[in-house]
Amino acid sequence: ISLPDIDVDFDDTSKIIDWVTKKYGVSQVARIITYGTMAAKSAIADVSRVKNIPLSTVAEIKTYIPDKLDDVRDPATGKTFAQLKEEKKIKKVPKPTLANCYKYIDELRNRIHGSDPAISSMLTTAGELEDTIRQIGVHACGVIIGADDLTKFAPLASVYDKNLKKDIVVTEYDGHVIESVGLIKMDFLGLQTLTIIKEALSNIKKSQGKEIDIDHIPLDDAPTYKLFQEGRTIAVFQFESPGMQKYMKELQPTVITDLIAMNALYRPGPIENIPSFIARKQG
């Protein structure tokens, strides 16, 4: 159906990007552009600056724009959109776009049709600009490695990367489009946990003179499983969320495959199977 998603974790992604660039060549390696669009509130903020609308007025208007329309009432039925969805009268709650906010929220509708032409003009213009591209950036972890010169597949541009503090080459097709021209996106993820492990090994060597090979630590260490059983997993990648800590206490993991299974189950979709998995583990 689609090309594979290749995600690899590193403690320092800048070094690995430099390495693949050196290995495959500067003409075959690029980062991926991102296009930032105007959201409802930012569109209002930007237009208000141009039209010299007082900040206090803008702040007040922005308070009328909710993050979701779940609790907003549909004028036709008098019921909230969440109720209508629950009753299966609508398939999904409308998105909180400016057009929908003007349509369903009285305070905004009164402002856009009100007596102040400056406010009305600002809201109309903001509605037209919403979802248009506001700025470009660089994908946090996406890297393209091509089999040939990338200019044969996609337009390229030079963009300043604030993190690296230098100009880098990016594909002008974003992540959603890049696969359609035959290029594969690799995600090189900078993982702080790996940096912590590296520093911990260095500190152990300095303080105790012991060299620990992290790739060959025992997978049956009882005190480690005790930490998981107690939900003491802060800073353990994939196991530190409150929900996962709760499930660790219920599961009482004793072998590495318990952790592997929980890591696979704790995501949208399979998460509903966790209680039955725990029940099986407990007999």
Side-chain angles (χ1 to χ4, degrees):
I1 296 168
S2 63
L3 291 163
D5 202 36
I6 300 171
D7 294 358
V8 199
D9 298 324
F10 299 96
D11 65 329
D12 184 344
T13 55
S14 62
K15 285 181 183 175
I16 197 69
I17 292 169
D18 289 344
W19 184 81
V20 293
T21 305
K22 202 171 175 183
K23 180 174 174 65
Y24 298 106
V26 289
S27 64
Q28 289 176 224
V29 177
R31 302 290 295 280
I32 301 169
I33 204 165
T34 58
Y35 294 105
T37 56
M38 280 202 188
K41 290 179 183 178
S42 67
I44 287 174
D46 283 355
V47 175
S48 68
R49 277 197 295 274
V50 176
K51 292 184 177 286
N52 293 319
I53 306 295
L55 286 173
S56 56
T57 306
V58 177
E60 181 199 341
I61 288 169
K62 281 160 77 173
T63 61
Y64 301 140
I65 301 169
D67 294 326
K68 295 177 179 176
L69 292 182
D70 295 55
D71 297 326
V72 173
R73 294 193 180 276
D74 171 37
T77 60
K79 294 183 177 181
T80 65
F81 287 110
Q83 287 173 321
L84 291 172
K85 189 186 173 191
E86 203 173 308
E87 294 170 6
K88 295 190 168 55
K89 299 278 175 61
I90 56 171
K91 283 187 179 176
K92 53 186 179 182
V93 174
K95 290 181 179 178
T97 61
L98 284 177
N100 283 337
C101 288
Y102 298 158
K103 189 176 173 183
Y104 299 121
I105 296 170
D106 293 338
E107 292 89 348
L108 280 171
R109 193 165 53 253
N110 293 338
R111 286 301 183 99
I112 203 166
H113 296 305
S115 56
D116 190 331
I119 301 291
S120 180
S121 172
M122 177 194 73
L123 291 172
T124 303
T125 305
E128 291 166 353
L129 288 174
E130 187 182 20
D131 275 341
T132 58
I133 291 169
R134 185 179 191 274
Q135 73 263 342
I136 58 169
V138 181
H139 193 287
C141 52
V143 179
I144 295 294
I145 304 172
D148 203 343
D149 190 321
L150 291 177
T151 55
K152 294 180 181 178
F153 302 94
L156 304 179
S158 179
V159 172
Y160 184 74
D161 187 304
K162 286 185 284 188
N163 296 323
L164 298 175
K165 294 182 172 59
K166 64 177 182 180
D167 288 331
I168 60 169
V169 175
V170 295
T171 62
E172 287 193 302
Y173 295 151
D174 70 8
H176 301 99
V177 179
I178 203 70
E179 289 184 351
S180 66
V181 296
L183 294 171
I184 296 181
K185 177 170 77 76
M186 315 251 178
D187 281 346
F188 292 163
L189 301 156
L191 205 58
Q192 195 180 14
T193 310
L194 294 176
T195 307
I196 292 168
I197 291 170
K198 195 162 91 170
E199 288 176 359
L201 297 177
S202 172
N203 289 336
I204 290 166
K205 188 179 178 182
K206 281 180 195 169
S207 62
Q208 299 185 32
K210 290 181 184 176
E211 279 205 40
I212 295 172
D213 181 358
I214 197 67
D215 293 322
H216 294 92
I217 57 172
L219 299 181
D220 58 354
D221 184 60
T224 301
Y225 286 107
K226 191 168 187 296
L227 289 174
F228 279 94
Q229 291 162 6
E230 292 170 357
R232 293 166 64 192
T233 51
I234 295 290
V236 180
F237 182 55
Q238 303 277 28
F239 291 91
E240 61 181 334
S241 69
M244 184 62 104
Q245 289 181 34
K246 170 181 166 285
Y247 285 133
M248 283 291 114
K249 291 176 188 173
E250 292 174 13
L251 179 71
Q252 295 291 294
T254 53
V255 289
I256 191 71
T257 47
D258 290 344
L259 302 182
I260 292 168
M262 283 299 289
N263 193 14
L265 288 166
Y266 194 79
R267 51 200 70 225
I271 195 165
E272 63 190 40
N273 297 306
I274 288 178
S276 60
F277 176 76
I278 291 171
R280 284 194 183 90
K281 171 71 179 175
Q282 305 305 336

